[in-house]
Amino acid sequence: MARTVIIEEHGGADALALVDRPVGEPGQGEVRIAHKACGLNFIDVYQRSGLYPLQMPAALGMEASGVIEAVGEGVKHLSVGDRAAYASMPPGAYCEARVMPAAQVCKLPDEISFEQGAAMMLKGLTVQYLFHRTTPLKAGDTVLFHAAAGGVGLIACQWARSEGIRLIGTAGTDEKCALALAHGADACINYRTEDWAARVQELTDGAGVDAVMDAVGADTFEGSLDSLKPLGMMISFGNASGPVPPFNIGLLGPKGSLKITRPTLFTHIADHQACQDMAAMLFDKVQSGAVEIKISQRFALEDVAEAHRALEARKTTGQTILTL
């Protein structure tokens, strides 16, 4: 049996319940992993609330680290006793142990702690696809990154710095802006006190940015389009302020023949080898010191509702984990 966080209906943080569930044995292509720590991400809130509907009852959580306890037939890249970490479908990472598909579970280098592994996989792999698999970016390019002091944002700031890409961030307080700057952002705009879209134009001498990376959604969408240079790429990869409403695609032409995409991590990591290669690049960034994974908040598994409330209230910065 393993303590597991579930919901029996979509709703607020009060819908989260901690129950004992049987774990079982892995089948073909599966592993059983005993968790050491679990990651907290905005997608967990979307699934809990029903923005991304789940079949009930549903276990939550997309990211964790731990030790492989058992390996099913056909699994070649993992062995019993391996340290491992993952960001993966299906949900169910908020637990002490689980049986799950092995393809997206990655062997965790000894130099990276379990807590770092639990905090970095979903966010770090997201940054990897944003910078390397979504649109061509090179040293000297400029990107606008919303929520630059969040979990994905602080990794993105460091990643951009390591590759000579200029990152202009936005955040909701001066303290969060300072944090983004300390992690490598070239500039960071407090969107509560400044007209951030106008400021982006000032910072780029009216040219605009090569790409916008936007997980905020409804509140920033229009200004993000106006921040792009001609032929720029709008990457809308989240909905923290709510989903982007329908819009007239014809607007992209007069705004500069703009491009737009709405990617998800799970499309990019669906292929086993692609996932492992992306993770290898992420691990290299961390092991080289180019990207530092700092745990800013820790909540016990039984305090998961409190963790969700803090995340939704934007009271967190950087990486947050659930401890076991």
Side-chain angles (χ1 to χ4, degrees), residues 209-294:
V209 300
D210 296 280
V212 177
M213 300 174 180
D214 186 350
V216 174
D219 288 355
T220 50
F221 182 74
E222 220 172 288
S224 291
L225 291 181
D226 291 337
S227 298
L228 286 164
K229 63 173 57 173
L231 306 180
M233 172 64 84
M234 170 66 185
I235 308 170
S236 177
F237 69 101
N239 317 282
S241 67
V244 174
F247 76 102
N248 177 8
I249 195 171
L251 294 174
L252 300 178
K255 285 182 179 291
S257 299
L258 303 180
K259 296 166 281 187
I260 186 167
T261 183
R262 203 324 182 172
T264 70
L265 170 64
F266 303 107
T267 305
H268 284 278
I269 64 172
D271 176 78
H272 165 70
Q273 193 56 54
C275 177
Q276 301 299 317
D277 291 344
M278 290 168 66
M281 179 179 283
L282 172 60
F283 294 153
D284 285 345
K285 289 282 188 185
V286 174
Q287 290 175 283
S288 72
V291 172
E292 184 178 1
I293 305 297
K294 292 182 179 177

Side-chain angles (χ1 to χ4, degrees), residues 39-46 62-63 94 118-119 122-123 152 308 311 320:
L40 184 75
N41 297 282
F42 243 104
I43 190 173
D44 308 342
V45 173
Y46 302 156
M62 305 300 298
E63 174 183 51
Y94 290 177
L122 192 144
K123 304 172 191 72
V152 180
H308 271 232
L311 185 63
T320 305

Side-chain angles (χ1 to χ4, degrees), residues 165-248:
I165 294 169
R166 182 188 185 197
L167 186 146
I168 299 171
T170 69
T173 67
D174 290 342
E175 291 76 16
K176 287 185 176 183
C177 284
L179 191 59
L181 292 169
H183 282 74
D186 183 77
C188 193
I189 307 161
N190 184 336
Y191 63 79
R192 297 189 190 278
T193 59
E194 292 189 74
D195 180 339
W196 59 266
R199 183 71 178 129
V200 169
Q201 293 301 319
E202 292 176 12
L203 290 167
T204 59
D205 296 323
V209 300
D210 296 280
V212 177
M213 300 174 180
D214 186 350
V216 174
D219 288 355
T220 50
F221 182 74
E222 220 172 288
S224 291
L225 291 181
D226 291 337
S227 298
L228 286 164
K229 63 173 57 173
L231 306 180
M233 172 64 84
M234 170 66 185
I235 308 170
S236 177
F237 69 101
N239 317 282
S241 67
V244 174
F247 76 102
N248 177 8

Side-chain angles (χ1 to χ4, degrees), residues 4 7 26 34 57 68 71 84 93 96 116 125 170 197 205 241-242 261 270 282 287 291 307-309 319:
T4 304
I7 56 172
I68 302 298
V71 175
E96 293 174 322
Q116 290 173 315
L125 292 173
T170 69
D205 296 323
S241 67
T261 183
L282 172 60
Q287 290 175 283
V291 172
H308 271 232
R309 292 187 190 101
Q319 320 304 321

Side-chain angles (χ1 to χ4, degrees), residues 40-113:
L40 184 75
N41 297 282
F42 243 104
I43 190 173
D44 308 342
V45 173
Y46 302 156
Q47 292 172 341
R48 188 209 73 218
S49 69
L51 180 62
Y52 297 172
L54 299 175
Q55 186 173 354
M56 297 295 126
L60 292 185
M62 305 300 298
E63 174 183 51
S65 67
V67 177
I68 302 298
E69 288 190 326
V71 175
E73 289 186 21
V75 177
K76 305 297 184 185
H77 69 293
L78 295 167
S79 302
V80 173
D82 281 349
R83 305 170 77 252
Y86 66 86
S88 177
M89 289 286 192
Y94 290 177
C95 64
E96 293 174 322
R98 69 185 294 200
V99 169
M100 64 180 295
Q104 282 68 47
V105 180
C106 304
K107 192 171 179 179
L108 185 67
D110 290 341
E111 296 81 3
I112 299 175
S113 72

